[in-house]
Amino acid sequence: MSVAPVLEATGLTVRYPGQLALDGVDLRLFPGEVHSLIGENGAGKSTLIKALTGAVIPDAGTLRLDGAEVSFGSPGAAAAAGIAVVYQELDLLPNLSVAENIMLGREPHRFGSIDWRRTREEAVAALAALDIFIDPASPLQQHPAAVQQLVAIARAVRTQPRVLILDEPTSSLDQSEVTELFRVIRTLKEAGVAIVFITHFLEQVYEVSDRLTVLRGGRLVGEYLTREILQAELVGKMLGRHVESLDEFELRQSEPDDRQPVFLEARGLGRDGVVAPFDLRVREGEVLGLAGLLGSGRTELARLISGVDRHGSGRLTVEGAELRPGAMRAAIARGVVYSAEDRRYGGIIEDLSIEDNILLALQAQRGWMRRASAARRRELAQSWIEALGIVPADPQLRAGALSGGNQQKVLLARWLAVAPRLLILDEPTRGIDIGAKVELQRLMLSLAQEGMAVVFISGELEELLRVSDRIGVMRERRLVGVLENDALSYEDVLALIARSSRGDDDE
Amino acid sequence: MNASRIVHHRLFWPVVALVALILINTISRPTFLSITVKEGGLYGSLIDILRNSSQLMLVALGMTLVIATRGIDLSVGAVLAVAGAVSLTFIGGSSHPGDLGTVTIAVLLGLAVTLVLGAWNGFLVSVIKIQPIIATLLLMFAGRGIAMLITKGQITTINSPPYAQFASGHLLGLPVAFLVALAVTVLVAVVVRRSALGMLMEAVGVNPEASRLAGVQARGIIWIVYALSGLLAGMSGILYSSNIMAADANNAGLNIELDAILAVVIGGTSLAGGRFSIAGTVVGVLIIQTLTTSITFLGIPPAITPVFKAIVVIAICLTQSQRVRAAIGSRHRRTRQTPTAGGLGTESPIEAEKAATA
Amino acid sequence: MSAESPVQSAGFRGIQTGPVLRRVNAWLPVIATVAILLLMLLAGQLYFGDFVTPRLVSSLFDNNPYLIVLAVGMTFVILTGGIDLSVGSVIAFSGLLGAQLFAAGLPAVVVLPLMVLSGTLIGAVIGIMVAVFDIQPFIASLAGMFLARGLAYVTSLKSLPIKNDGLNWLLGTSWGGGQWYTTPGVVLALLLVALAFWVLHYTRFGRTVYAIGGNEQSARLMGLPVGRTKFLIYVISGTGAGIAGVLFASYTQSGNPLAGLGMELQAIAAVVIGGTILSGGSGYVLGSLAGVLVYGLIQIAITYMSVDSWWTYIVIGVLLLVFVVFQRALSARRRG
């Protein structure tokens, strides 16, 4: 391509309080080209998009539109310059008609009234340009997510943007719907629009995009032509090798320990459209790592085996006794606890004190009438604060005031306080600093040494390799294999994660 | 250091307001503070405030708990009317209206009915999952009808000395109504804070999903809270009907839900749920009651009270408004615009989380 | 690309409901209300024999013109997911203000607009609190309620009679012949319903009202003037309450500080019975009109059956329950 880029970003840097969200990232978007933006959670994709669309003003770096330097002070300014975004969380109005969702704010008027006939006609035309034929007067909420997605694109395209950013448009679509979306993307591409396509599904990246940019930890890893990079290579670039100074950290002495009794067993456990049926055994005293890309079904699997979500098929047993689907509280009573992925939404109760947060699960278990005595509460909170090194060590401090790592420790303390037999940790090390990370890893090992079973989900392969006895690998909502971690290499696991689904799935 | 701690205590400004109100009254008429002893009971403006605030106190107490769980209970006024109707109709229909046993049964009957009504609200909110404001609106409507059904639309007046004691009696020199409110408030405060109910309510109010994942049974908690709110409104209804010795289905507890919500908000409990303060609500109730009493005391027509309430509400809302706080507080933080941005993105919860925690 | 698209896009024709069925679906709650209204009329006819008469139909409108106007304003507010508790108190304020101004000898052409403006003013205060300071509508309009009720008492502590031909004309004039009759006040109320319908369905402002109720964040992202619209709906509701105050004053020939007590609840009930969802985004002003008529018919039926008036509250309460549960089931089905 000898064409000049429509939009070119160089050295974009965005600082959030205490964090460098984007660190000198470059991006080039060419007309008539689909450009995939790739990276794991926290890689900076979202921030990059915000910086491109004026939702965040970069602290450094330049934006050039057709070679001329620009800066967008607001989303409106970016939209006016021809940069349109369709977000994953659709910014649409389900209670209004399809036509209105496309035309709202730009409806043709006649004698002071909205001209509904022309509004519908223009909406039909906008949809037809994408080869979509649906009733413009039907309420949007009647349509499946895929159609809503297309309606959002139709709305964006009506402004004839130069750049169209599609933020995870396929996350809730099935295969035929994805095919339809891709057809629309190609139509737009032929019309010369520069398209940014964000997805977690690498298959789709290869299917539709021409060029890709990989981000990791807020930094640019590189820009590649899609046809020139192999999938395994790409996954390696996404996950990266984290150089951590862990010299004093003793590696897990993996002793495949089949003599340990099985604590939890899943047989054919699954749920339609969420996780394909799988078999899994977790033994006492082992650390079972769960690897896979984002969206591969790691969290969903964890939520099934902990009873947080109802399973649709199969059997879940704890020490031989069956757990009913969705019997989360029963699971907790049996010692199976799940520490959620999203600390803020599903974990920390920010307005409550550290002490309350630590005691929450224990208290929920005891029931509201049997409150732990004040002395016992203080003692428990204090001992966990000390044991896990929570800073500041003030049990009455608001938990929301803590750093991410310390919040994670509070969450861990909450669950350890109920003396669990199986601790399921969903990305406990995400977004916390390296020191806290190492402490958590060490803690998991010592817990396992004491006989607790640990299921550990992480996006960082090396971390999993260091801590786990076995590693379960998830791909496309399927548990594709469980590997013994003896002499297992980074590349072995990577190969399994990245293997194309076009190959056979049987392990 | 200590002084700043006091100023930053969340009850600082409400207490200042209360003290200011009392000061204004005392300055304009020093007799405001005087307390006299008549027939073994204490009398005076301050005692009046304590007695008159008891009905609102009971209702506001229940409202505090409901609001802590992110709810609201609009039906308390109607429930209050039902309690009076049930009790007085029972007493009116009995052959010994002055009998202590009759009164006891009447009170228990009234409270039982309101407990059921409260539980009904709790059922709609926690099981059927109807928005609290709508769920309780139903009973706000139907409740008065039920009260009138019980009283057959009459204003049932009775003559029962033991029942009258609730409102006009004295015990140890203090009004019985005040002692009832005090005892119930202390009891509820102790139960809520000594059991884990308070903490679990707050957890549910602040973050329902995290609470669920921690194994908290929100349904039961919410149910209890609404039932309690109904029961407390019932007690308030007993005091109200004892005060006028009549069951007035139309006017009993009219708009008391609004005063109760106001008292809770003045006391520093956020309508968005979460951390609640029973002490704050007590102060809030006393402010509202002192305001009402002062207006009479200062010779302003009492009917104008709503204007002052409106001023109080607007003032409090403005101090709690983000916009006003932002204008007063730090203006330089450019990252303040991330709320809008944070709402949009795909990974935003995570990145925003990082931003907030790192 | 497009050559193969017709086949490919077959799955993307979505749910191909016919135009009639589609509309039925959206109007379902309103149709349910109208059906209830008709059923009640039918039951009355069967039960009483001579129930559905021109006189009944006429009085159905004539009894509650002010409630119709309140319900119109409330519909705007509830469609955005808000609530306005102040409207009942505004009726008292507006009525007493009018009584004082008439007593001062001002003509109706001056007084009536001022009565309406008093409501507009209260609405504007609430609107500023909601739109500018982000105060919850419930609390903001509670302040407005206290303010209006207090101002009513400031205006006069007791009921004041009004003797004015202009005001009297509104509900005192009877148009029509025989049993069919109507009054200028009813015509005004119905004209306001028509105007509201036009505004809600044929102007960008009206569609923005629906958009805010659907998803305020999305509406903002679409570049719609969310703040301005939220402010204006409270102004509309307040103005409606002011007009209702004029009608109520004409109806009672007086201003009374206790007027309109609890009427905000009647208006909210009528709107909800009319099929508008309290969380916003869905509903029709015509449904609210039907809701007021259902409300009025219940009152009439209860008089007819010579049972006691408190049954009105209970019946309304039960009807509200049925509608709320019905809507909850509908929304659960939509999401599921």
Side-chain angles (χ1 to χ4, degrees):
Chain A
M1 286 244 177
S2 57
V3 202
V6 199
L7 187 69
E8 184 172 16
T10 37
L12 280 188
T13 301
V14 173
R15 258 182 221 99
Y16 288 140
Q19 185 207 10
L20 202 55
L22 213 54
D23 186 3
V25 170
D26 305 337
L27 183 72
R28 300 186 299 162
L29 303 177
F30 295 92
E33 201 177 88
V34 178
H35 193 126
S36 284
L37 208 51
I38 293 176
E40 286 284 276
N41 264 335
K45 295 174 301 203
S46 176
T47 310
L48 177 56
I49 290 174
K50 284 177 193 161
L52 293 181
T53 56
V56 159
I57 298 163
D59 294 275
T62 54
L63 271 182
R64 284 173 201 283
L65 190 65
D66 291 328
E69 193 165 322
V70 288
S71 72
F72 304 127
S74 70
I83 299 176
V85 204
V86 175
Y87 287 104
Q88 177 188 26
E89 295 301 324
L90 295 173
D91 46 332
L92 291 178
L93 300 158
N95 59 325
L96 298 185
S97 71
V98 168
E100 279 192 84
N101 271 289
I102 296 171
M103 304 294 296
L104 203 59
R106 298 188 288 262
E107 313 91 334
H109 279 65
R110 191 160 172 258
F111 307 126
S113 296
I114 294 174
D115 186 342
W116 283 114
R117 203 173 52 81
R118 266 183 58 209
T119 301
R120 279 195 286 271
E121 281 170 7
E122 286 188 29
V124 167
L127 288 167
L130 305 177
D131 277 327
I132 306 160
F133 303 95
I134 54 175
D135 179 0
S138 54
L140 187 74
Q141 62 195 0
Q142 276 187 2
H143 296 283
V147 178
Q148 299 194 15
Q149 189 80 57
L150 295 176
V151 169
I153 294 174
R155 179 179 172 89
V157 168
R158 237 190 67 82
T159 59
Q160 302 192 315
R162 312 281 315 278
V163 176
L164 177 64
I165 301 172
L166 302 173
D167 192 354
E168 292 202 48
T170 56
S171 57
S172 55
L173 308 189
D174 67 27
Q175 195 49 53
S176 69
E177 292 169 335
V178 169
T179 311
E180 179 63 19
L181 177 72
F182 285 177
R183 186 187 56 70
V184 168
I185 289 178
R186 290 189 189 107
T187 310
L188 290 171
K189 173 179 150 178
E190 271 163 29
V193 181
I195 295 165
V196 178
F197 176 60
I198 298 167
T199 183
H200 291 300
F201 302 111
L202 295 187
E203 303 297 316
Q204 296 175 359
V205 169
Y206 280 94
E207 190 174 341
V208 80
S209 68
D210 306 298
R211 192 184 293 268
L212 53 89
T213 291
V214 181
L215 297 179
R216 190 175 66 233
R219 288 166 191 256
L220 178 71
V221 175
E223 186 207 82
Y224 312 90
L225 286 175
T226 311
R227 60 173 183 275
E228 288 175 1
I229 185 167
L230 291 172
Q231 187 157 334
E233 196 184 341
L234 179 59
V235 172
K237 292 193 188 300
M238 288 167 68
L239 300 182
R241 281 183 178 269
H242 301 266
V243 189
E244 293 168 7
S245 52
L246 302 167
D247 302 335
E248 18 82 81
F249 196 94
E250 83 260 42
L251 274 174
R252 175 74 179 159
Q253 321 238 299
S254 182
E255 33 194 289
D257 212 349
D258 288 345
R259 283 153 300 166
Q260 287 288 353
V262 172
F263 179 70
L264 175 137
E265 180 166 18
R267 280 183 165 279
L269 203 69
R271 182 175 167 154
D272 272 357
V274 177
V275 183
F278 61 90
D279 294 338
L280 186 68
R281 286 176 170 190
V282 185
R283 292 175 185 278
E284 285 176 20
E286 78 164 335
V287 177
L288 172 70
L290 267 186
L293 296 177
L294 199 73
S296 59
R298 304 178 309 210
T299 295
E300 289 78 1
L301 182 141
R303 288 173 71 102
L304 284 190
I305 60 173
S306 55
V308 171
D309 290 338
R310 305 176 68 87
H311 54 264
S313 63
R315 253 170 76 90
L316 179 63
T317 54
V318 175
E319 294 188 305
E322 181 160 4
L323 267 183
R324 282 177 302 108
M328 182 186 72
R329 282 173 52 83
I332 296 174
R334 304 277 283 284
V336 181
V337 303
Y338 168 71
S339 176
E341 176 183 20
D342 186 338
R343 271 197 298 280
R344 268 188 138 185
Y345 176 67
I348 280 292
I349 315 243
E350 296 196 332
D351 274 351
L352 295 192
S353 65
I354 295 177
E355 179 179 304
D356 283 346
N357 268 286
I358 291 180
L359 276 128
L360 187 63
L362 181 68
Q363 196 57 66
Q365 199 61 18
R366 290 169 67 105
W368 67 269
M369 278 184 275
R370 294 173 51 233
R371 183 189 197 239
S373 74
R376 172 116 181 85
R377 289 166 56 86
R378 205 171 317 121
E379 181 201 317
L380 255 175
Q382 202 62 57
S383 66
W384 283 116
I385 287 173
E386 275 164 28
L388 301 183
I390 294 167
V391 194
D394 174 5
Q396 299 311 322
L397 196 73
R398 220 178 128 259
L402 294 177
S403 72
N406 281 296
Q407 287 188 352
Q408 191 59 54
K409 288 181 191 170
V410 169
L411 268 186
L412 210 54
R414 174 191 294 173
W415 287 119
L416 294 177
V418 301
R421 307 277 306 279
L422 166 58
L423 179 62
I424 302 168
L425 298 171
D426 196 347
E427 297 236 38
T429 55
R430 190 167 79 212
I432 67 178
D433 64 52
I434 184 83
K437 222 177 233 185
V438 172
E439 279 180 65
L440 273 173
Q441 295 168 2
R442 190 171 289 143
L443 184 74
M444 273 184 266
L445 289 179
S446 70
L447 289 171
Q449 228 117 54
E450 289 162 25
M452 192 185 296
V454 178
V455 171
F456 173 38
I457 300 177
S458 172
E460 289 177 27
L461 261 188
E462 302 210 319
E463 181 177 65
L464 285 174
L465 283 165
R466 198 155 51 231
V467 180
S468 314
D469 295 297
R470 294 186 299 151
I471 295 181
V473 177
M474 300 286 299
R475 193 205 311 136
E476 291 168 6
R477 310 202 162 263
R478 193 175 281 279
L479 182 65
V480 291
V482 180
L483 311 171
E484 291 288 343
N485 187 13
D486 47 353
L488 197 61
S489 75
Y490 183 88
E491 284 70 21
D492 296 336
V493 186
L494 201 60
L496 193 50
I497 292 178
R499 180 173 300 170
S500 159
S501 65
R502 291 186 192 110
D504 52 7
D505 263 350
D506 302 325
E507 298 298 326
Chain B
M1 202 60 214
N2 235 347
S4 117
R5 244 198 140 121
I6 292 170
V7 171
H8 284 108
H9 194 279
R10 63 173 166 178
L11 284 184
F12 178 73
W13 289 112
V15 169
V16 166
L18 182 58
V19 171
L21 272 176
I22 293 174
L23 273 181
I24 291 169
N25 280 299
T26 315
I27 290 167
S28 67
R29 287 199 19 213
T31 54
F32 186 78
L33 290 179
S34 74
I35 293 171
T36 54
V37 184
K38 263 188 285 177
E39 296 158 19
L42 299 174
Y43 290 88
S45 298
L46 290 179
I47 301 293
D48 281 347
I49 290 174
L50 292 183
R51 183 179 50 229
N52 295 340
S53 61
S54 51
Q55 292 165 27
L56 180 59
M57 186 59 234
L58 291 171
V59 173
L61 187 59
M63 193 68 78
T64 310
L65 306 184
V66 170
I67 287 177
T69 63
R70 273 197 193 178
I72 202 156
D73 187 351
L74 295 182
S75 72
V76 285
V79 170
L80 184 156
V82 172
V86 169
S87 296
L88 288 201
T89 306
F90 180 80
I91 293 175
S94 84
S95 45
H96 305 289
D99 193 56
L100 197 61
T102 310
V103 170
T104 310
I105 296 174
V107 169
L108 290 179
L109 206 58
L111 296 183
V113 170
T114 55
L115 185 65
V116 170
L117 292 178
W120 162 259
N121 282 332
F123 169 75
L124 289 183
V125 174
S126 67
V127 180
I128 310 282
K129 306 221 182 291
I130 296 174
Q131 268 175 279
I133 188 170
I134 308 172
T136 56
L137 182 72
L138 300 176
L139 204 51
M140 185 183 191
F141 247 96
R144 286 202 187 275
I146 294 169
M148 284 190 226
L149 192 66
I150 295 165
T151 60
K152 309 243 173 1
Q154 312 293 315
I155 295 186
T156 315
T157 51
I158 59 149
N159 183 16
S160 167
Y163 197 79
Q165 286 296 312
F166 284 120
S168 51
H170 282 76
L171 196 68
L172 306 171
L174 290 167
V176 172
F178 165 66
L179 293 176
V180 169
L182 181 70
V184 172
T185 306
V186 170
L187 182 72
V188 169
V190 167
V191 166
V192 163
R193 288 302 183 192
R194 288 292 147 198
S195 78
L197 191 59
M199 190 250 265
L200 296 179
M201 275 164 44
E202 288 178 338
V204 169
V206 176
N207 192 335
E209 177 62 11
S211 306
R212 185 183 83 85
L213 287 178
V216 179
Q217 268 186 315
R219 180 182 288 192
I221 305 258
I222 288 172
W223 210 325
I224 290 174
V225 161
Y226 281 90
L228 205 54
S229 175
L231 183 67
L232 290 166
M235 290 183 189
S236 181
I238 304 283
L239 294 186
Y240 181 91
S241 59
S242 158
N243 195 27
I244 59 170
M245 286 309 275
D248 182 350
N250 263 321
N251 296 315
L254 200 64
N255 287 345
I256 200 169
E257 60 279 349
L258 304 179
D259 277 346
I261 293 167
L262 186 56
V264 172
V265 174
I266 292 176
T269 301
S270 159
L271 272 182
R275 296 308 294 267
F276 66 95
S277 162
I278 289 177
T281 300
V282 171
V283 175
V285 167
L286 289 178
I287 288 178
I288 292 176
Q289 193 56 49
T290 309
L291 187 70
T292 312
T293 307
S294 328
I295 286 164
T296 326
F297 195 78
L298 298 174
I300 304 166
I304 296 176
T305 315
V307 176
F308 294 96
K309 282 190 194 161
I311 293 168
V312 171
V313 179
I314 293 172
I316 288 172
C317 286
L318 291 186
T319 60
Q320 291 184 352
S321 160
Q322 291 296 332
R323 191 127 176 188
V324 174
R325 285 191 177 177
I328 296 168
S330 56
R331 215 182 299 224
H332 58 276
R333 283 184 58 190
R334 194 181 48 78
T335 43
R336 274 233 60 84
Q337 41 172 287
T338 41
T340 5
L344 314 178
T346 50
E347 308 170 329
S348 58
I350 293 99
E351 298 207 345
E353 162 193 334
K354 276 189 162 178
T357 52
Chain C
M1 271 290 121
S2 51
E4 61 190 80
S5 62
V7 184
Q8 274 197 350
S9 64
F12 281 79
R13 293 173 172 268
I15 300 161
Q16 294 288 325
T17 43
V20 176
L21 197 66
R22 188 180 72 222
R23 303 232 170 250
V24 167
N25 221 349
W27 282 81
L28 204 57
V30 179
I31 291 167
T33 310
V34 173
I36 284 178
L37 188 66
L38 294 178
L39 271 176
M40 284 169 64
L41 286 171
L42 182 68
Q45 182 66 24
L46 291 175
Y47 190 75
F48 301 113
D50 190 27
F51 186 68
V52 185
T53 58
R55 194 176 170 70
L56 175 98
V57 177
S58 303
S59 63
L60 205 49
F61 287 91
D62 192 33
N63 282 354
N64 287 317
Y66 40 86
L67 192 54
I68 294 177
V69 179
L70 286 188
V72 167
M74 193 67 81
T75 308
F76 278 87
V77 176
I78 292 181
L79 277 175
T80 63
I83 201 155
D84 187 353
L85 299 177
S86 73
V87 292
S89 305
V90 167
I91 286 185
F93 177 39
S94 150
L96 279 173
L97 185 73
Q100 291 284 22
L101 293 174
F102 278 127
L106 292 170
V109 279
V110 177
V111 177
L112 297 190
L114 285 176
M115 287 173 78
V116 173
L117 274 179
S118 69
T120 310
L121 193 73
I122 301 282
V125 170
I126 300 172
I128 288 172
M129 284 198 276
V130 172
V132 179
F133 294 105
D134 247 348
I135 294 170
Q136 283 167 311
F138 186 89
I139 295 296
S141 66
L142 178 63
M145 174 191 193
F146 284 140
L147 188 64
R149 185 67 67 188
L151 287 175
Y153 278 112
V154 171
T155 313
S156 164
L157 289 173
K158 55 184 199 319
S159 176
L160 297 175
I162 302 177
K163 298 246 176 299
N164 180 279
D165 293 341
L167 186 69
N168 197 9
W169 175 80
L170 276 170
L171 289 179
T173 320
S174 193
W175 288 337
Q179 296 218 315
W180 288 106
Y181 70 96
T182 191
T183 59
V186 172
V187 172
L188 173 67
L190 293 180
L191 281 177
L192 287 176
V193 172
L195 178 67
F197 183 83
W198 176 79
V199 168
L200 282 173
H201 295 281
Y202 288 91
T203 67
R204 191 168 291 164
F205 169 77
R207 301 323 290 167
T208 307
V209 168
Y210 278 89
I212 293 172
N215 186 337
E216 191 172 326
Q217 176 75 12
S218 293
R220 244 180 249 282
L221 280 173
M222 285 188 173
L224 301 173
V226 170
R228 193 179 73 202
T229 307
K230 276 169 87 173
F231 169 72
L232 282 177
I233 56 135
Y234 288 95
V235 169
I236 288 174
S237 176
T239 308
I243 296 172
V246 170
L247 293 175
F248 195 76
S250 169
Y251 185 72
T252 58
Q253 300 277 304
S254 67
N256 185 337
L258 284 171
L261 211 58
M263 216 178 266
E264 62 278 352
L265 288 182
Q266 294 176 17
I268 294 168
V271 171
V272 172
I273 290 174
T276 300
I277 294 176
L278 266 174
S279 45
S282 168
Y284 297 93
V285 69
L286 293 181
S288 301
L289 176 62
V292 174
L293 295 182
V294 166
Y295 198 103
L297 190 59
I298 290 171
Q299 285 175 323
I300 292 176
I302 276 164
T303 329
Y304 249 76
M305 290 164 76
S306 54
V307 291
D308 302 296
S309 65
W310 55 80
W311 278 102
T312 315
Y313 290 107
I314 297 177
V315 173
I316 297 283
V318 171
L319 211 54
L320 277 175
L321 175 67
V322 169
F323 268 82
V324 166
V325 172
F326 172 67
Q327 288 174 354
R328 166 97 192 110
L330 268 187
S331 70
R333 204 190 61 184
R334 265 175 205 150
R335 253 173 243 134

